[in-house]
Amino acid sequence: MRRLFGGACLAAGLLLAGQAAADVTINFGEAGLTPGFGPDPWFAGNPKGTDLGNQFVGVGALFSVVSGAAYVANSSFVSGCSSLGWDDFLAVNTTPPYGTSQAVLSVVFVDPNDGVTPAFVAGGSVSFRISDINPVPSNRVVVQTLNLSNQVIEQVSLTQYQDVLGFTTGDVAKIQFIDNGSDGFVVDDLSFGAVTVAPEPSTIWALAPLGIGLLARRKARK
């Protein structure tokens, strides 16, 4: 019975965990992503870079941006970042007029198999490189992690022109980058751990009778 109980718990745990992907690092230089520029004075050149959209749904990350645009770029296309020396990266610009809007880049974790079902990663596995496009802005980028209930877990701020930032705790369902200075920013080498698909409420309730029954039987045996 103990073996049966342990096996049932293990099976339930595996079903609930639903890990769907190994550790991932997105460097924005992947094949098929064309560097270029966005509709903003900080960006120059031709052709227009790849708009992120759902390019990385296959690894469980869905990118979106509000009050701005996000494009794959490199230093030759982003005037404020010519000294970074980075390879291809993600450039995010706020839509003019500046100071009245703030670009918010969101990375939402989803089931890589359908691109819709909510998922999460371990907070301690999240890290990235980030830089402000303007070397001397008055306000820099604020980055948050949020859980499945859309509650903020951790918040960090870029305190210098460029930096490597990371997070340490929680089940992270979303990473949110807020352009406080409204002057644009760039992100590279976004890393995160295994994507775990969130259990649906119906799955949890379906497993509940099994767990209760096994506990009752175990107690009766004693």
Side-chain angles (χ1 to χ4, degrees), residues 41-76:
W42 282 103
F43 294 71
N46 194 52
K48 181 177 177 180
T50 301
D51 189 349
L52 259 284
N54 61 0
Q55 293 286 332
F56 294 101
V57 165
V59 294
L62 180 61
F63 287 76
S64 63
V65 64
V66 177
S67 298
Y71 296 91
V72 175
N74 57 41
S75 296
S76 64

Side-chain angles (χ1 to χ4, degrees), residues 1 25 54 80 104 119 145 148 151 171 173 197 200 220:
M1 177 55 67
T25 296
N54 61 0
V104 179
T145 54
L148 287 165
Q151 298 172 322
D171 292 333
V197 178
E200 297 181 4

Side-chain angles (χ1 to χ4, degrees), residues 10 22 49 53 62 70 72 82 86 90 95 102 109-110 123 135 142 147 150 165 178 183 185 188 190 198 202 215 218:
L10 176 61
L62 180 61
V72 175
S82 57
W86 296 6
L90 177 63
T95 303
Q102 296 175 322
F109 295 106
V110 294
V142 173
N147 59 22
N150 212 38
L165 298 177
I178 305 169
D183 51 10
F185 62 93
D188 199 7
L190 173 62
S202 57
L215 286 172
R218 188 180 184 188

Side-chain angles (χ1 to χ4, degrees), residues 61-67 70 90 92 102-109 121 123 126-130 140-158 165-167 169 171-180 185-187 190-192:
L62 180 61
F63 287 76
S64 63
V65 64
V66 177
S67 298
L90 177 63
V92 179
Q102 296 175 322
V104 179
L105 169 70
S106 294
V107 183
V108 177
F109 295 106
V121 302
V126 177
S127 66
F128 50 90
R129 288 200 295 169
I130 189 168
R140 299 189 184 274
V141 186
V142 173
V143 191
Q144 302 172 331
T145 54
L146 298 93
N147 59 22
L148 287 165
S149 299
N150 212 38
Q151 298 172 322
V152 175
I153 304 170
E154 288 184 85
Q155 178 171 300
V156 296
S157 299
L158 178 64
L165 298 177
F167 292 90
T169 61
D171 292 333
V172 177
K174 179 166 66 174
I175 310 171
Q176 192 163 263
F177 299 78
I178 305 169
D179 184 15
N180 266 357
F185 62 93
V186 296
V187 179
L190 173 62
S191 297
F192 50 88

Side-chain angles (χ1 to χ4, degrees), residues 114-125:
D114 62 26
V116 176
T117 304
F120 59 88
V121 302
S125 68

Side-chain angles (χ1 to χ4, degrees), residues 5 8-9 12 204-218:
F5 180 79
C9 289
I204 296 174
W205 286 114
L207 289 172
L210 173 63
I212 293 170
L214 287 172
L215 286 172
R217 184 175 298 181
R218 188 180 184 188

